[in-house]
C-alpha cells in the first residue's frame, strides 16, 4: 500500500515540474517505478529509511530549495535548482535494495560501495537528457551536474567536488536540513 504522503509528494514534484516547464526532463525519474517506494537509506538509524523514504526526502529538498531561493531573493535559474534537487539522490535506487517483499527492511548494494549514489544520480540525469529532443545548454547542464556532485558538501562526506555556486550551496544545505530533521524525529521517538 502506498502512503498518502508519498502520493502527495509525487503530485507536488510533478506539478512543480509542469509549472516550471521541465516535465520532459523530470519524467525519467517519475517513470521509474522504484522512485515512489524506495528507501532513502540502508540502515534504520539513517535519515528517511524505509518504504517511501526517497520520495519524501526528495520532495522536502525540492520544497526547501525553492522556498529558500524565493525567501532570499536569489537571482538563480530555478529550473536548474529544481532539476538538481529532483535528481540529487536518484542514484539511491541503485545503492539500496529491499530485503523483504514488503519493502520494510533494506540493505546496501555492491553498487553503493563501487559507484555510489552521487555518481549514479549524475548518470541518471544524463540518461534523461539523452531522451530529450533538444539538448540542454552546456552551462545549464553543468550547473545541475555540479550541484548534484557537490550536494554532500565535502570530499570527506562523499562529494567529488565542493559547492561553488549558489544552486550547489542551496542544494547542499537543504539536503542537510531534510536529513537532520528526519534524524531528530527518530531521536525524539526514542526518548
Amino acid at each position: 500500500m502506498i502512503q498518502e504522503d508519498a502520493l502527495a509528494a509525487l503530485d507536488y514534484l510533478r506539478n512543480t515540474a509542469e509549472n516550471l516547464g521541465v516535465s520532459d526532463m523530470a519524467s525519467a525519474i517519475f517513470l521509474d517505478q522504484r522512485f515512489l517506494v524506495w528507501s532513502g537509506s540502508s540502515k534504520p538509524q539513517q535519515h528517511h529509511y524505509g518504504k517511501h523514504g526517497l520520495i519524501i526526502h526528495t520532495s522536502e529538498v525540492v520544497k526547501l530549495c525553492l522556498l529558500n531561493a524565493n525567501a532570499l531573493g536569489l537571482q538563480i535559474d530555478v529550473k536548474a535548482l529544481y532539476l538538481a534537487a529532483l535528481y540529487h539522490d536518484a542514484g539511491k535506487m541503485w545503492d539500496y535494495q529491499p530485503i523483504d517483499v514488503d519493502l520494510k527492511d533494506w540493505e546496501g548494494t555492491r553498487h553503493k560501495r563501487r559507484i555510489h549514489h552521487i555518481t549514479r544520480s549524475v548518470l541518471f540525469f544524463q540518461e534523461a537528457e539523452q531522451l530529450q529532443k533538444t539538448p540542454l545548454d552546456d552551462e545549464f547542464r553543468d550547473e545541475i551536474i555540479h550541484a548534484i556532485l557537490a550536494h554532500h558538501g565535502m570530499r570527506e562526506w562523499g562529494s567529488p567536488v565542493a559547492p561553488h555556486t549558489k544552486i550547489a550551496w542551496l542544494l547542499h544545505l537543504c539536503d542537510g536540513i531534510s536529513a537532520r530533521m528526519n534524524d531528530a524525529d527518530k531521536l525524539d521517538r526514542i526518548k
Side-chain angles (χ1 to χ4, degrees), residues 148-175:
I148 294 170
L149 290 173
H151 84 265
H152 278 198
M154 298 173 16
R155 288 182 183 204
E156 294 83 2
W157 296 343
S159 275
V161 295
H164 291 293
T165 66
K166 289 180 181 180
I167 289 175
W169 272 110
L170 194 54
L171 177 57
H172 165 61
L173 295 169
C174 292
D175 179 53

Side-chain angles (χ1 to χ4, degrees), residues 103-137:
L103 307 178
K104 185 179 179 211
D105 296 310
W106 297 78
E107 66 184 0
T109 63
R110 183 182 330 168
H111 179 279
K112 180 180 180 187
R113 292 183 299 279
R114 292 185 176 181
I115 298 171
H116 197 256
H117 79 271
I118 293 176
T119 304
R120 177 60 65 188
S121 295
V122 169
L123 293 171
F124 189 38
F125 172 76
Q126 289 177 315
E127 290 167 10
E129 182 188 2
Q130 295 303 312
L131 301 173
Q132 302 305 301
K133 294 175 187 163
T134 308
L136 299 179
D137 173 75

Side-chain angles (χ1 to χ4, degrees), residues 10 13 19 46 50 52 60 66 88 93 98 104-105 112 123 128 139 165 167 169 187-188:
L10 183 60
L13 293 170
N19 291 339
Q46 293 174 330
H52 307 300
E60 288 174 359
L66 296 176
H88 85 282
M93 294 186 286
K104 185 179 179 211
D105 296 310
K112 180 180 180 187
L123 293 171
E139 190 173 328
T165 66
I167 289 175
W169 272 110
L187 291 173
D188 287 345

Side-chain angles (χ1 to χ4, degrees), residues 34-119:
R34 297 171 296 173
F35 183 60
L36 184 61
V37 296
W38 227 246
S39 181
S41 62
S42 62
K43 296 178 184 162
Q45 66 271 22
Q46 293 174 330
H47 77 89
H48 296 90
Y49 174 81
K51 188 175 181 181
H52 307 300
L54 179 59
I55 193 165
I56 298 299
H57 172 63
T58 301
S59 70
E60 288 174 359
V61 172
V62 168
K63 283 179 190 174
L64 286 166
C65 282
L66 296 176
L67 288 169
N68 279 287
N70 185 51
L72 294 168
L74 299 179
Q75 301 300 310
I76 59 172
D77 189 327
V78 179
K79 292 177 183 184
L81 176 63
Y82 170 83
L83 289 169
L86 180 68
Y87 279 93
H88 85 282
D89 273 351
K92 288 184 174 186
M93 294 186 286
W94 286 264
D95 276 4
Y96 311 130
Q97 63 189 13
I99 297 171
D100 56 12
V101 295
D102 296 330
L103 307 178
K104 185 179 179 211
D105 296 310
W106 297 78
E107 66 184 0
T109 63
R110 183 182 330 168
H111 179 279
K112 180 180 180 187
R113 292 183 299 279
R114 292 185 176 181
I115 298 171
H116 197 256
H117 79 271
I118 293 176
T119 304

